[in-house]
């Protein structure tokens, strides 16, 4: 029976399971896990006993002759190890090799060679024990407040990307997809759940029970999960027969109904679009206390409570976030779980599709809550373009080592939002029908397997014109290299236009990238084009085209907007005539076009490609007809936030006060979309920032600035280490609304030093938090961040040098005066041993250029603000 099962499994998975990418630290390819039997006992959870015992039996195929079995193990105390040949039960003698202290590998050396032809399949059984950790890694514990606020313990998991090895010994790489049979022994009163439905429950002595789950489909170790808790649940059945459940700490079950309905609707939409079934009998969504965001565990998806527990009076912003998050994790059940990337180099195949479908499914089911086009622009296109100007990794990252901190850096805006934008660009370029057919073919051909990007490209069969790139060329042009182009548009005589492309650089650099070019889908709007080229390309710029002259459908008086619907992942720069026409017609254009134009103008101005006077003129036009979409883009920290910091102009601040006030008038009712709710939230933030005393004296309103009380150090610590992005954002808002002369920077420094001293965050995660802090308000948080980093020795930052370099790169581009520049240079000199040789001269060039620009241009811009009477716009319109 064992031999028959071997060949059945090998024939079905061998060709796709063996990893095709080699990298430092990877497991060797001479053994292959086929199936896990995992047994865990955690019976002391309610008695403050957080230890657990386990044994794992792994059936392993011998792919090539070897005398070693190598897998992962971190923190598990091994009691015994047994190796047996599957076909006859012969025990194989072995020894455990010593590993380096930092190694995460478990090396078992056999006393004889394991032969592929003779041994075929062996069984490795390991008995071990461990303790539930407090960090959100591996098999860990958390808690919620029960009746009378009594702490109630919860045992749960978080294994992505490489933390299953902390819970049990395993082959912890995404290239290995195997089945799992899981048994959990727990207190009889606890709810016990895992990936698959319950097969049997056996009652044991002392009120314990053994819950045995059905065998899972083939899946990676990072998707394995289990839960032990006193939770309540609600259930329903989807139209396709999948049992949908919402599990949460004891609540009024009415607060779980919205997420239950959303989960059911979104799954049905996904199955209908893809033509694929889930592959599971049930799909539970569980609310984990202090979880942070969400994790797509197959069949038992984990969320922070805010995404699943919603009262009947929940804010529309919270409902929208719930729909987006549930949609994202539901999409992962097919994209990532059913069909998974062969290595973390291809993480975008999973996260990109989940990002794309979160909005596609959400907008289809809740169109009044989530307008598709506008939501994509604000939620993904804007942040992805901003991130890709700084971050230097392509979507496909090869080679990529097995170092977990390095892998974790890929869970970023590029991998999520840029990938989602590229998929949307491909969809619009080849058409919805061809895109859907390709996606369905991709999932069908690779169901229960692992994939590389080439497998995705080969799934599309599209008949293209001779002057159009193939689908593979489209993908590769944007996936295999970092960055994106600026398309320069120059209007010639009549309807002829010259197009040029070059890579966008966010600041002056020592070496311009003049070689990178892309296949660029050119869409456009004119008064004469009747909308026919707004979504599908009128033509393509090829990678060989640095310059191209094309005749468009327009006359000399038409306004011309290129990439009007934000389909293409690029920015557009116009000549003076083009920009003047756009400013004159800005208020007549749809809000999605206004948002794209205002974003391009601000970003190009910061790069020195256009003047900020253009941005100020566009702001004055937007002031006459405010809309949440362009308003949100304009008020971004990188756009108006940057300009407001460098101008330090009371007149400009008075204009902004009126500009912010427009959002209160526009979004004054409760029946708001996600974008209107976001605009109101951002408006409150700006309202608090803009000199409370000035607002009180100059603008009568029932809305008052938030009270900004001093924040205790421990609260700052707790918020900074929280896995929940929203908790940190609320902290940033509290810190930002305080007067700059307060003692908050010192409180922030105290908190950061406590975090570092107590090792509450790894250096890589701490640097990621500092990135978020600076991005939220560079003017306020840059100085304390630089001061804090100056206390960290190079050897501490060295293991995560890439993340440290990315943080420094962000800091360099936010320096605005010589004193800051001197402090940053000192910081870089101190860490020169872990930075590239050219980093310091490049950074110095950028800072010198920025400071020079400030000295020359800021006085001129202040004069422009004064002469244009921007500060009096709202007074002239009758605002009091």
């Amino acid at each position: 029976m064992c031999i028959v099962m071997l060949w059945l499994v090998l024939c079905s998975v061998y060709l796709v399971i063996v990893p095709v990418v080699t990298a430092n630290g990877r497991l060797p390819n001479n053994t292959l896990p086929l199936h896990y039997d995992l047994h865990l006992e955690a019976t002391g959870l309610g008695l403050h006993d957080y230890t657990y015992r386990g044994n794992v039996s792994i059936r392993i195929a011998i792919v090539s002759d070897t005398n070693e079995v190598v897998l992962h193990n971190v923190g598990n105390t091994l009691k015994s190890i047994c190796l047996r040949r599957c076909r006859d039960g012969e025990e194989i003698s072995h020894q455990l090799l010593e590993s380096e202290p930092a190694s995460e590998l478990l090396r078992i050396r056999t006393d004889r060679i394991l032969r592929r032809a003779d041994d075929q399949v062996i069984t490795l059984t390991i008995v071990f024990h461990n303790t539930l950790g407090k960090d959100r890694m591996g098999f860990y514990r958390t808690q919620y407040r029960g009746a009378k606020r009594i702490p109630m313990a919860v045992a749960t998991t978080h294994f992505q990307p490489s933390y299953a090895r902390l819970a049990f010994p395993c082959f912890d790489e995404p290239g290995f997809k195997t089945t799992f049979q899981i048994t959990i022994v727990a207190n009889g009163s606890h709810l016990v759940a895992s990936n698959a439905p319950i097969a049997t429950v056996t009652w044991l002595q002392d009120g314990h029970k053994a819950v045995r789950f059905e065998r899972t489909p083939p899946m990676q170790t990072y998707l394995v999960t289990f839960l032990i808790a006193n939770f309540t649940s609600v259930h329903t059945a989807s139209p396709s027969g999948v049992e949908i459940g919402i599990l949460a700490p004891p609540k009024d079950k009415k607060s779980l109904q919205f997420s239950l309905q959303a989960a059911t609707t979104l799954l049905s939409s996904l199955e209908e679009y893809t033509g694929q079934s889930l592959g599971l009998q049930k799909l539970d969504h569980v609310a984990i206390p202090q979880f942070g965001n969400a994790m797509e565990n197959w069949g038992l998806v984990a969320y922070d409570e805010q995404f699943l527990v919603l009262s009947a009076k929940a804010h529309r912003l919270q409902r929208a976030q719930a729909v987006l998050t549930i949609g994202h994790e539901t999409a992962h059940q097919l994209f990532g779980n059913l069909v998974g990337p062969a290595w973390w180099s291809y993480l975008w195949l999973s996260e990109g599709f989940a990002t794309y479908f979160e909005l596609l499914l959400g907008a289809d089911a809740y169109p009044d809550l989530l307008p598709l086009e506008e939501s994509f622009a604000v939620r993904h296109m804007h942040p992805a373009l901003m991130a890709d100007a700084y971050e230097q990794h392509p979507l496909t990252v090869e080679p990529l080592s097995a170092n977990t901190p390095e892998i974790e850096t890929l869970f970023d805006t590029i991998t999520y939002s840029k990938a989602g934008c590229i998929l949307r660009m491909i969809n619009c370029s080849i058409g919805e029908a061809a895109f859907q057919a390709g996606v369905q073919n991709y999932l069908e051909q690779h169901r229960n397997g692992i994939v590389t990007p080439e497998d995705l490209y080969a799934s599309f069969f599209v008949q293209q014109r001779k002057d159009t790139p193939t689908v593979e060329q489209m993908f590769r042009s944007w996936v295999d290299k970092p960055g994106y182009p600026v398309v320069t548009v120059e209007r010639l005589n009549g309807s002829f236009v010259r197009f040029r492309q070059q890579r966008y650089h966010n600041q002056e650099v020592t070496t311009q990238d003049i070689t990178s070019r892309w296949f660029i889908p050119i869409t456009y709007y004119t008064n004469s084009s009747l909308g026919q080229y707004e979504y599908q390309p009128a033509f393509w710029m090829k990678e060989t085209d640095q310059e191209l002259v094309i005749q468009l459908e327009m006359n000399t008086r038409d306004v011309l907007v290129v990439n009007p619907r934000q389909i293409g992942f690029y920015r557009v720069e116009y000549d003076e005539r083009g920009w003047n026409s756009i400013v004159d017609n800005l208020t007549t254009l749809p809000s999605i076009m206004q948002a794209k134009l205002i974003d391009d103008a601000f970003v190009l101005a910061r790069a020195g490609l256009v003047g900020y006077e253009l941005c100020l003129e566009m702001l004055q036009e937007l002031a006459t007809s405010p809309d949440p979409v362009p308003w949100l883009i304009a008020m971004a920290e990188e756009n108006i936030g940057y300009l407001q910091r460098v101008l330090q102009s009371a007149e400009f601040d008075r204009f902004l006060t009126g500009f912010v006030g427009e959002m209160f008038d526009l979004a004054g009712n409760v029946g708001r979309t996600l974008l209107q709710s976001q605009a109101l939230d951002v408006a409150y933030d700006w309202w608090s920032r803009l000199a409370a005393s000035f607002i009180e004296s100059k603008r009568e309103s029932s809305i008052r600035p938030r009270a900004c009380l001093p924040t205790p150090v421990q609260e700052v610590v707790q918020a900074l280490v929280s896995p929940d992005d929203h908790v940190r954002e609320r902290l940033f808002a509290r810190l930002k609304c305080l007067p700059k002369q307060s003692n908050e920077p010192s409180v922030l420094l105290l908190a950061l030093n406590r975090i570092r001293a107590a090792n509450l965050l790894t250096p890589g995660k701490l640097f990621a938090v500092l990135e978020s802090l600076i991005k939220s308000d560079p003017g306020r948080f840059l100085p304390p961040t630089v001061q804090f980093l100056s206390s960290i020795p190079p050897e501490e930052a060295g293991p995560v040098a890439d993340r440290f370099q990315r943080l420094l790169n962000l800091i360099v581009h936010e320096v605005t005066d010589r004193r800051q520049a001197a402090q940053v240079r000192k910081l870089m000199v101190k860490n020169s041993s872990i930075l590239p040789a050219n980093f310091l001269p490049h950074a110095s060039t950028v800072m010198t250029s920025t400071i020079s620009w400030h000295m020359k241009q800021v006085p001129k811009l202040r004069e422009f603000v004064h002469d244009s009477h921007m500060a009096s716009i709202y007074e002239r319109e009758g605002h009091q």
Side-chain angles (χ1 to χ4, degrees), residues 388-404:
D388 210 19
Y390 288 97
E391 296 166 19
Q392 298 297 311
H393 75 82
L395 287 176
T396 294
V397 181
E398 292 181 314
L400 177 67
S401 79
N403 179 265
T404 298

Side-chain angles (χ1 to χ4, degrees), residues 14 33 38 270 342 364 460 623 703 750 787 828 837 863 873:
Y14 172 75
L38 178 62
L270 179 68
D364 180 64
F460 291 90
I703 301 169
L750 286 171
Q787 186 177 346
M828 291 187 293
E863 185 177 351
I873 284 179

Side-chain angles (χ1 to χ4, degrees), residues 114-380:
L114 300 174
R115 304 288 183 185
R116 176 183 179 184
D118 185 40
D119 294 299
Q120 300 175 348
V121 176
I122 61 173
T123 299
L124 169 64
T125 302
I126 302 176
V127 178
F128 62 96
H129 64 83
N130 205 335
T131 301
L132 299 173
K134 294 182 180 180
D135 296 330
R136 195 175 64 104
M137 297 184 294
F139 192 18
Y140 75 99
R141 68 184 189 266
T142 183
Q143 67 178 29
Y144 64 92
R145 296 286 180 178
K148 299 182 180 179
R149 297 192 57 77
I150 297 174
M152 305 293 289
V154 176
T156 187
T157 65
H158 182 69
F159 289 166
Q160 191 184 50
S162 310
Y163 298 133
R165 64 192 70 171
L166 275 68
F168 60 97
C170 57
F171 292 77
D172 198 14
E173 290 186 358
F176 299 114
K177 292 191 82 169
T178 56
T179 54
F180 288 79
Q181 186 95 53
I182 297 173
T183 301
I184 305 288
V185 178
N187 188 297
S189 63
H190 281 130
L191 177 150
V192 181
S194 186
N195 304 89
I198 294 174
T200 63
V201 177
T202 304
W203 290 95
L204 308 174
Q205 295 179 349
D206 301 324
H208 299 156
K209 62 182 177 182
V211 182
R212 184 171 180 269
F213 296 90
E214 295 180 8
R215 181 177 295 221
T216 69
M219 65 183 188
Q220 296 100 324
T221 49
Y222 78 86
L223 295 172
V224 175
T225 189
F226 14 91
L227 170 74
I228 306 172
N230 285 305
F231 275 11
T232 189
S233 62
V234 295
H235 298 270
T236 190
S238 74
S240 62
V242 177
E243 182 181 356
I244 307 295
I246 306 294
L247 286 58
K251 306 282 183 183
D252 179 355
K253 290 188 176 182
K254 292 180 180 179
S255 65
L256 308 180
Q257 290 301 319
F258 178 83
S259 54
L260 181 65
Q261 185 268 333
T264 306
T265 301
L266 294 168
L267 175 61
S268 298
S269 297
L270 179 68
E271 290 177 326
E272 181 180 354
Y273 185 96
T274 61
Q276 292 291 319
S277 63
L278 181 63
L280 296 174
Q281 297 176 29
K282 64 96 175 176
L283 178 57
D284 289 328
H285 303 262
V286 55
I288 304 295
Q290 296 91 46
F291 191 75
N293 292 310
M295 174 60 208
E296 64 266 21
N297 308 312
W298 206 356
L300 183 61
V301 186
Y303 300 81
D304 196 80
E305 289 183 83
Q306 62 184 307
F307 301 118
L308 295 184
V309 182
L310 294 92
S311 70
K313 297 180 180 179
H315 193 281
R316 289 177 69 88
L317 183 58
Q318 186 182 4
R319 290 175 179 265
Q321 293 290 358
V323 169
L324 290 167
T325 307
I326 295 171
H328 187 98
E329 304 310 322
T330 299
H332 267 313
Q333 303 305 298
L334 300 185
F335 300 97
N337 298 7
L338 185 71
V339 176
W343 183 237
W344 300 110
S345 295
Y346 318 128
L347 179 61
W348 70 270
L349 289 175
S350 173
E351 298 300 345
F353 271 110
T355 297
Y356 176 79
F357 276 102
E358 74 179 34
L359 270 173
L360 189 71
L361 302 176
D364 180 64
Y366 301 90
D368 294 337
L369 193 63
L370 294 166
L372 176 63
E373 193 171 59
E374 294 81 359
S375 298
F376 221 107
V378 173
R379 184 175 174 84
H380 295 302

